[in-house]
């Protein structure tokens, strides 16, 4: 009798273990499928391709707006306002575009565009240095984009892939006189039609005299960008650690991108080797 009870007990235990094992496999499969789907959605709906106002401006090439050439020192500063915040970003901020240098890479002429005020870390502005061409401001994975935070080592960043995203199609709405903090401008008013995946609608007021972008005002449902100053400023100070990159000496593939630990923090080398 005791032996039968023991065998019965073992049989029930095995059945229970098998049931737990099957449930575990099922839950693991659900989790893996969910992760895969989320990754696919993340790739399909990259912020820079859909709902990021600043990245959408990259889809408008300056020559489309009449800007035919850049000179080192060209700059424009804007006030960027948002009706609602995204990811704890500021609702009101000043941002700037500044052509600070030129560099030829593999026979291809490009310019260094410094973008300021786009991002902050503990109230410290994170400047972005980008190698771009006059006819193409789109970001690409593996592009020459660098982030510099004062007192930190700069590092190469990859925002998103825009090289396959078509440029915006411009529909002329008319001519208007626009008043901003930077003055009064005779502008052409356009509606920027983006790709089908991009549901954000942009309206822009442009003047070819405003380099480097050619934009006086731009707005969407949530954002408005308005010029506050522009002109020429050749008094350019390039931080010591980013200077070799601007000069084409280094690609600076690695840098400090962590506030904690040692594995991802690297000692700066100057000049780089």
């Amino acid at each position: 009798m005791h032996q039968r009870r023991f065998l019965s007990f073992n049989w029930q235990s095995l059945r229970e273990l098998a049931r737990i094992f099957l449930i575990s496999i099922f839950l693991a499969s659900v989790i893996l499928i969910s992760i895969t789907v989320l990754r696919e959605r993340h790739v399909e709906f990259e912020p820079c391709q859909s709902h990021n106002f600043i990245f959408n401006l990259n889809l408008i090439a300056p020559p489309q707006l009449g800007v035919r050439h850049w000179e080192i020192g060209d700059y424009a500063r804007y006030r960027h306002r948002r009706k609602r915040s995204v990811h704890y970003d500021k609702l009101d901020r000043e941002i700037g575009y500044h052509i600070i240098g030129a560099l030829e890479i593999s026979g291809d002429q490009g310019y260094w565009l410094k973008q300021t005020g786009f991002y902050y870390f503990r109230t410290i502005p994170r400047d972005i240095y980008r190698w771009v061409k006059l006819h193409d401001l789109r970001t690409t994975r593996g592009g020459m984009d660098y982030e510099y935070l004062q007192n930190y080592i700069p590092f190469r960043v990859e925002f998103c892939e825009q090289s396959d995203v078509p440029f915006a199609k411009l529909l002329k709405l008319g001519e208007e006189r626009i008043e901003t903090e930077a003055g009064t401008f005779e502008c052409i008013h356009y509606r920027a039609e983006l790709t089908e995946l991009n549901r954000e609608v942009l309206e822009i007021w442009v003047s070819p005299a405003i380099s480097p972008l050619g934009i006086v005002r731009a707005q969407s449902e949530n954002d408005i960008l308005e010029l506050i100053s522009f002109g020429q400023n050749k008094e350019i100070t390039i931080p010591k650690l980013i200077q070799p990159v601007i000069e084409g000496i280094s690609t600076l593939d690695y840098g400090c991108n962590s506030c904690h630990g040692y594995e991802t923090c690297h000692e700066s080398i100057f000049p780089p080797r």
Side-chain angles (χ1 to χ4, degrees):
M1 178 68 69
H2 293 291
Q3 186 176 3
R4 288 181 181 179
R5 286 181 181 178
F6 180 75
L7 291 173
S8 176
F9 173 77
N10 283 343
W11 174 247
Q12 291 179 357
S13 298
L14 288 173
R15 289 179 62 183
E16 184 66 21
L17 288 173
R19 189 173 69 87
I20 294 173
F21 179 74
L22 291 174
I23 292 174
S24 300
I25 291 177
F26 173 77
L27 291 175
S29 300
V30 170
I31 292 172
L32 288 173
I33 292 172
S34 300
I35 292 173
T36 303
V37 170
L38 288 174
R39 285 181 176 176
E40 289 176 356
R41 288 181 178 178
H42 178 71
V43 171
E44 182 179 358
F45 297 103
E46 285 281 5
C48 61
Q49 296 182 14
S50 55
H51 303 297
N52 190 304
F53 177 76
I54 295 298
F55 279 111
N56 281 336
L57 293 179
N58 294 338
L59 303 179
I60 304 173
Q64 289 181 282
L65 310 183
V67 179
R68 302 303 178 194
H69 68 278
W70 285 339
E71 293 183 8
I72 297 176
D74 287 347
Y75 82 93
R77 292 195 62 80
Y78 297 87
R79 189 173 305 283
H80 178 209
R81 297 186 179 93
R82 281 179 165 166
K83 295 180 183 177
R84 57 185 181 275
S85 180
V86 179
H87 302 305
Y88 306 102
D89 207 352
K90 293 187 176 183
L91 291 173
D92 192 331
R93 59 185 177 179
E94 288 188 14
I95 63 175
Y97 297 83
H98 196 178
I99 302 296
I100 62 167
L103 179 66
E104 184 176 313
I105 299 178
S106 301
D108 202 2
Q109 181 63 49
Y111 292 84
W112 285 106
L113 176 65
K114 179 183 179 181
Q115 300 177 183
T116 57
F118 287 76
Y119 311 102
Y120 288 82
F121 173 74
R122 298 176 181 172
T123 72
I124 305 173
R126 294 156 55 187
D127 296 335
I128 305 297
Y129 293 81
R130 301 185 57 214
W131 186 82
V132 297
K133 290 170 279 189
L134 173 65
H135 63 277
D136 195 346
L137 300 178
R138 294 175 297 180
T139 60
T140 61
R141 295 193 184 278
M144 299 280 283
D145 298 322
Y146 300 88
E147 180 177 296
Y148 175 74
L149 184 70
Q150 186 177 1
N151 297 326
Y152 287 76
I153 300 174
F155 62 94
R156 197 166 182 168
V157 293
E158 294 182 343
F159 293 107
C160 56
E161 181 59 59
Q162 288 187 309
S163 59
D164 294 331
V165 182
F167 289 108
K169 295 181 180 179
L170 302 182
L171 175 64
K172 184 177 179 180
L173 301 180
E175 298 180 2
E176 297 180 28
R177 176 175 292 181
I178 299 297
E179 293 185 4
T180 73
E181 294 181 44
T184 303
F185 303 90
E186 299 292 339
C187 297
I188 301 176
H189 183 190
Y190 290 102
R191 174 189 174 94
E193 297 181 350
L194 304 173
T195 64
E196 293 181 0
L197 290 177
N198 194 330
R199 298 179 181 178
E200 186 170 40
V201 176
L202 298 180
E203 289 191 41
I204 56 175
W205 289 259
V206 309
S207 171
I210 310 302
S211 187
L213 297 187
I215 293 176
V216 176
R217 178 186 293 167
Q219 69 179 39
S220 66
E221 183 180 356
N222 187 50
D223 300 76
I224 183 167
L225 189 77
E226 193 166 86
L227 187 69
I228 58 177
S229 65
F230 72 102
Q232 261 280 322
N233 181 10
K234 292 186 178 180
E235 295 182 4
I236 301 167
T237 301
I238 299 175
K240 182 178 180 180
L241 291 177
I242 200 74
Q243 188 173 350
V245 176
I246 303 300
E247 296 176 354
I249 301 173
S250 171
T251 57
L252 196 65
D253 286 329
Y254 300 96
C256 183
N257 56 7
S258 174
C259 298
H260 307 282
Y262 302 97
E263 293 182 359
T264 56
C265 289
H266 303 270
E267 183 179 359
S268 62
I269 301 173
F270 191 89
R273 60 178 185 265

